[in-house]
Amino acid sequence: MYKFKRTAAVSLAALLLAAGCNKTETSSKEYELEDLTFPIKEEEEVTLKFMTQSSPLAPKDPNEKLIYQRLEKDTGIHIEWKNYTSDVFIEKRNLAIASGELPDAILDAAYGDYDLLKLAKDGAIVPVEDLIEKHMPNLQKVLEDAPEYKSMITAPDGHIYSFPWIEELGSDKESIHSVDDFPWINVEWLKNLGLEMPKTTEELKKVLIAFKNEDPNGNGEADEIPLSFIHKPGGEDLAFLLGSFGLGENWDHTVVTDNGEVKFTASDEGYKEGIKFLNELYQEGLIDVEAFEQDWNTYLAKGKDNRYGLYFTWDKANITGMNDTYDLLRPLAGPDGNVNVTRTNGMGFDRGRMVITSANKNLELTAKWIDQLYDPIQSVQNNWGTYGDEKQQNIFEYDESAKMLKHLPLEGTAPVELRQKTNIGGPLAILDEYYGTYTTKPDDAAWRLGLMKDVMVPHMQAENIYPRVFFSLKELDRLSAIETDLFPYVMRKRAEWIQNGNVDKEWNEYIAELDRLGLQEWLEIKQAGYNRNAE
């Protein structure tokens, strides 16, 4: 198989060179190394050229990270990086592909399914299933222990084109990914005003009115913001509140009924009723007027000042700190008594975390290096950070006798900031059985899992989520074309209706427009994908 693929790669390289693209500057020379073991002898001076991305908080040169320094020592392979900050990485990555200036591989590649299939069709990346079978025992063991992931990374044509990121933290309803937009309510303000934790949407409305009018922070100024969010899909959205009115809402507007029917949340009658409730809050002056345009930094700044009565995020530590000022708002009963926590279609899985390009002349060498990332102890560090760094705060300490990484206290540091300085993003695999064997659970994750189990899971009505279906290029083309207009339209109308009302008056016209934009075809494709996956 790979002789044929290599010939195709060489042909592509010849075409690119003919067009004036000098690939020898961006990919490594051929070392003709076979059946190698690590560490490679020092005199061989082996270098691979990779592209990656990192946080602005991390070193500009990834080789300054202790994780990569240890990997170089253990493998004998030097990595020459082209590293870009996350805000410009996609643009730089795409320019490299378009120009033919291909590195050997792209790590933390952020490729979606369409990207993977298109790059494979164009011959820019190579299939890796044979490399996994022959040269990657760590990844092979992961796929044997959890075979569902092999089917998830296998494209419709039967090939595997990328290396995944897998992070298990809980399973099924108790997965840490079951809800991303946790609602955090200011319990200090509740206490100051003698109020109880609201249990219904109507009680929440009364609480927010009190937050607005009764000076709960006691400074004599009307500077409280009863409710805030960021108006886009994700952990800072207020979609959680819509669960009290029916199917609810999540980031991709998709839920699956218990009889296997795929539903579009934003066309549900309950969605309309939820929007009417949010408009009531807005008319009362309870919703942050900046919520529809603010970015993360603005949202964070107001949170740091404890100005919110209710806000939404994955982990309150990243906004208001790990203190007792805010607690998790319990799921609310709607007007008809319905209590529903809508599950997101999230899981700790990313299909396109790393690819090998057709410019790579050292496939075995590269595969064996990547396989080191799937060693359990290594994967844990890839995901969260490392130990023994004398220059900065560490995520772990290493218990030599137990051969285990133990999470250290965060000591008030925001977990996301600490991890971004030292981790590498993946690929990696952390299975649930690793906890207690190779690592402890992060304190913040264990705490969140406890909240998920105790507060959210009892009210999750749906038994299933929409799975990570690997659609064909044709299907992805249509889904992408439809979603390009459909999803922004939904979000635009939601913002209009929350601020201006008129959802009842405009609902039938809205439903007709959803159909005109391709909703029924979208549902057909999504349903077909779900049915295939269930077979």
Side-chain angles (χ1 to χ4, degrees), residues 125-392:
I125 61 175
V126 301
V128 297
E129 62 272 9
D130 283 1
L131 294 175
I132 294 172
E133 184 178 342
K134 295 175 182 177
H135 304 301
M136 304 186 71
N138 289 322
L139 178 54
Q140 186 70 8
K141 186 176 189 306
V142 170
L143 301 180
E144 290 170 357
D145 292 345
E148 65 271 21
Y149 291 113
K150 184 170 184 179
S151 63
M152 282 196 280
I153 63 176
T154 302
D157 64 5
H159 288 299
I160 297 172
Y161 293 110
S162 59
F163 301 103
W165 170 85
I166 299 167
E167 181 201 45
E168 293 184 348
L169 270 167
S171 59
D172 299 323
K173 289 183 177 181
E174 293 185 16
S175 166
I176 201 168
H177 304 279
S178 285
V179 181
D180 52 5
D181 55 332
F182 268 20
W184 302 100
I185 191 165
N186 195 320
V187 291
E188 188 174 285
W189 289 5
L190 290 176
K191 181 180 178 181
N192 291 346
L193 299 180
L195 300 171
E196 298 292 328
M197 178 75 76
K199 297 180 180 178
T200 68
T201 52
E202 192 59 32
E203 288 177 6
L204 175 64
K205 181 179 176 181
K206 292 176 180 178
V207 162
L208 296 178
I209 290 173
F211 285 170
K212 176 189 176 187
N213 296 329
E214 299 180 25
D215 191 25
N217 65 11
N219 68 353
E221 299 179 15
D223 58 351
E224 295 89 352
I225 300 172
L227 187 157
S228 192
F229 62 99
I230 297 178
H231 182 69
K232 66 178 183 179
E236 288 66 50
D237 191 25
L238 51 51
F240 180 87
L241 295 180
L242 296 173
S244 301
F245 298 89
L247 293 176
E249 176 67 304
N250 52 31
W251 64 271
D252 59 350
H253 314 296
T254 309
V255 296
V256 180
T257 66
D258 289 349
N259 64 1
E261 182 182 2
V262 179
K263 304 277 283 186
F264 189 70
T265 54
S267 64
D268 181 62
E269 285 288 324
Y271 177 84
K272 178 176 71 172
E273 297 306 309
I275 296 297
K276 288 162 66 175
F277 169 71
L278 296 177
N279 174 248
E280 291 175 14
L281 300 185
Y282 191 86
Q283 295 304 315
E284 291 280 356
L286 307 178
I287 291 179
D288 188 351
V289 294
E290 293 183 318
F292 300 94
E293 296 180 354
Q294 66 186 343
D295 60 13
W296 168 261
N297 290 330
T298 304
Y299 191 63
L300 176 63
K302 290 181 287 189
K304 293 290 187 186
D305 289 339
N306 290 330
R307 294 181 61 196
Y308 297 143
L310 176 67
Y311 75 97
F312 303 82
T313 196
W314 176 273
D315 184 346
K316 70 175 184 176
N318 294 322
I319 302 287
T320 54
M322 187 59 75
N323 53 51
D324 296 331
T325 303
Y326 290 85
D327 197 5
L328 188 61
L329 176 69
R330 275 51 182 167
L332 302 171
D336 62 355
N338 181 64
V339 183
N340 178 33
V341 172
T342 306
R343 299 170 66 182
T344 65
N345 297 307
M347 59 184 302
F349 175 77
D350 176 19
R351 224 176 327 251
R353 191 55 66 106
M354 187 168 187
V355 296
I356 297 176
T357 77
S358 56
N360 193 308
K361 307 173 189 68
N362 301 284
L363 294 176
E364 177 184 336
L365 184 67
T366 304
K368 288 185 174 180
W369 187 92
I370 295 171
D371 193 52
Q372 303 308 300
L373 302 181
Y374 287 101
D375 173 83
I377 289 290
Q378 184 64 50
S379 279
V380 169
Q381 295 175 77
N382 298 347
N383 200 40
W384 285 300
T386 192
Y387 65 95
D389 193 329
E390 298 179 355
K391 297 180 180 179
Q392 63 177 36

Side-chain angles (χ1 to χ4, degrees), residues 24-28 31 46-52 61-63 68 72 77-83 103-105 369:
T24 59
E25 295 181 358
T26 53
S27 61
S28 300
Y31 292 107
V46 172
T47 295
L48 295 174
K49 297 185 178 183
F50 290 174
M51 178 184 290
T52 193
D61 181 359
N63 285 324
Y68 283 131
E72 180 163 345
I77 298 174
H78 176 73
I79 306 299
E80 183 179 310
W81 296 99
K82 276 197 173 181
N83 179 42
D104 293 311
W369 187 92

Side-chain angles (χ1 to χ4, degrees), residues 56-75:
L57 299 175
K60 291 182 179 180
D61 181 359
N63 285 324
E64 293 181 21
K65 291 184 177 182
L66 189 54
I67 288 177
Y68 283 131
Q69 291 172 8
R70 288 187 177 129
L71 275 170
E72 180 163 345
K73 181 179 178 181
D74 292 342
T75 63

Side-chain angles (χ1 to χ4, degrees), residues 401-416:
S401 61
K403 305 297 181 186
M404 181 179 180
L405 291 163
K406 296 182 177 180
H407 280 86
L408 293 167
L410 290 169
E411 300 176 353
T413 305
V416 65

